[in-house]
Each structure stands twice: as C-alpha cells, then as structure tokens.
Amino acid sequence: MEVNTKLRAAKYGYIVLSVLICVLGISVIADPNFSVSMLCWIGGILLIAFGCFKILGYLSKDLYRLAFQYDLAFGILLCILGIILILRTDAMIHMICILLGIFILADSLLKIQIAIDARAFGIRLWWTILTVAILTSVISFLLLFRPYESSTIVMVLLGISLLGEGLLNLTTVLTAVKILQKKTPKFPDSDFCD
C-alpha cells in the first residue's frame, strides 16, 4: 500500500471512529442506564478498530509525524483491550469505567505532549489539541477517582469522557495530520509530438 494511501486511510478512519466515539458518549450521557454489556461489546469493537487505525497511522509516516508517533504500542494495546472486552464481557462489566478511564487518561496525556510538539513545529492550532486534552484528562481522572458513587453519575462521567476522547482525536487528526497532494507534472502542449 502506498504511503499516501495509508495516511489517507488512517486519517479518515480516525475521523470516522472519533465521530462514532462521540456518538457513543452522547448516547451514554442521554441514557445513563445504557446496557453495560452492550457498552462492553460496542467499546470492544471500537477499541479494536481504533487500534488498527492507530497502527496504520504509525506505519503511514505522516508529514509532521506528530499525531501517530505513539500509536504502534498504543494501537496494539487497544486491540488487546478490545478483545478482552468482547471475550470477557461478564468480568469486564464492573471494570469498564476503570478500563476506559485509564485508556482515555493515557491518550489525553500523550495528546498534551503532541500539542507541545505541534507548537514547536509551528502548527497554528496546537492550542486546540492542548485545551481538549487537558479537559479530557481532567474528566477521565474524575471518572477514575469517582467522587460520586451513584452509578448514574459514573455513567454520565463515562459518556463525557468518551465524548472528550472523540473530540480530542478529531481535533488532533484534523490539525496535526497533513497529507501531501501528488502533483502531476504539467507539460506545455508544444512539447508533445504526434
């Protein structure tokens, strides 16, 4: 697969999955009684898909090499977590908030570093990545810390964390991933002979 094609697939895969994570987050916020076993299945599938796109992004060698720089190991970890969520749904029902909270916290902390690197590269919108990453890390920390024991509040925090994660990945991929357009050489008509 050509490098530009890999990068394009990784970028658009990130965008689609980020939107799906946002939709899942909004669904959990809207219905805090969302089925936890269904959340494990959907979350597992999204984690596996996201892991695959993270690995593809890492292998794509984007122009700035910012957005995907930590994604080989993180992508493999997401695939493993996704498989565990699907195969061990019963055991994961009580741990899903902790598992997803750790994943979102780790990803948002890595995105803070990406934002700082993006600033050094001269990317104008580096601050958007930083802002969303800080907000997402605070919310995911609250999810892990659980200042409230109410399951409704925990599910709403999980939904907000998922929404933040989706927005964070969307912001990162839209600001820090650049695809070079191939330019075909233009020849004057007079240079061609019949």
Side-chain angles (χ1 to χ4, degrees):
M1 186 184 283
E2 188 180 318
V3 171
N4 208 15
T5 307
K6 282 183 191 176
L7 182 56
R8 193 176 309 278
K11 182 175 183 174
Y12 294 124
Y14 246 68
I15 291 170
V16 168
L17 287 170
S18 296
V19 169
L20 289 175
I21 290 172
C22 287
V23 169
L24 181 59
I26 292 168
S27 300
V28 173
I29 294 167
D31 181 15
N33 297 321
F34 196 90
S35 167
V36 179
S37 61
M38 181 66 73
L39 186 61
C40 284
W41 273 88
I42 294 170
I45 291 167
L46 287 175
L47 287 177
I48 292 169
F50 214 45
C52 291
F53 280 111
K54 281 184 173 288
I55 293 167
L56 183 63
Y58 178 81
L59 298 174
S60 70
K61 309 215 183 307
D62 68 299
L63 180 63
Y64 296 132
R65 298 188 193 245
L66 284 174
F68 305 124
Q69 65 181 317
Y70 307 110
D71 282 0
L72 179 62
F74 210 57
I76 293 168
L77 178 64
L78 288 182
C79 289
I80 292 168
L81 290 177
I83 291 168
I84 291 170
L85 274 176
I86 292 171
L87 296 180
R88 302 281 301 166
T89 302
D90 294 337
M92 292 294 115
I93 285 177
H94 301 292
M95 296 181 56
I96 189 163
C97 288
I98 294 170
L99 190 65
L100 290 177
I102 291 170
F103 152 65
I104 294 169
L105 181 61
D107 193 43
S108 59
L109 293 175
L110 288 174
K111 294 294 194 299
I112 289 172
Q113 185 172 347
I114 288 171
I116 292 167
D117 292 343
R119 181 179 182 208
F121 268 85
I123 295 174
R124 288 180 305 142
L125 296 174
W126 66 270
W127 59 271
T128 57
I129 300 170
L130 182 65
T131 304
V132 178
I134 290 171
L135 290 172
T136 303
S137 63
V138 168
I139 293 167
S140 60
F141 178 77
L142 286 175
L143 177 64
L144 290 171
F145 183 64
R146 292 187 187 194
Y148 307 101
E149 287 301 318
S150 164
S151 61
T152 302
I153 294 175
V154 170
M155 287 301 282
V156 169
L157 277 174
L158 176 61
I160 295 170
S161 295
L162 288 168
L163 180 60
E165 175 67 13
L167 291 173
L168 177 58
N169 284 304
L170 198 57
T171 303
T172 303
V173 80
L174 291 176
T175 57
V177 177
K178 301 295 178 207
I179 299 173
L180 292 176
Q181 301 296 326
K182 283 186 178 179
K183 294 185 178 181
T184 55
K186 294 185 178 180
F187 300 103
D189 292 337
S190 59
D191 291 340
F192 291 102
C193 299
D194 287 347

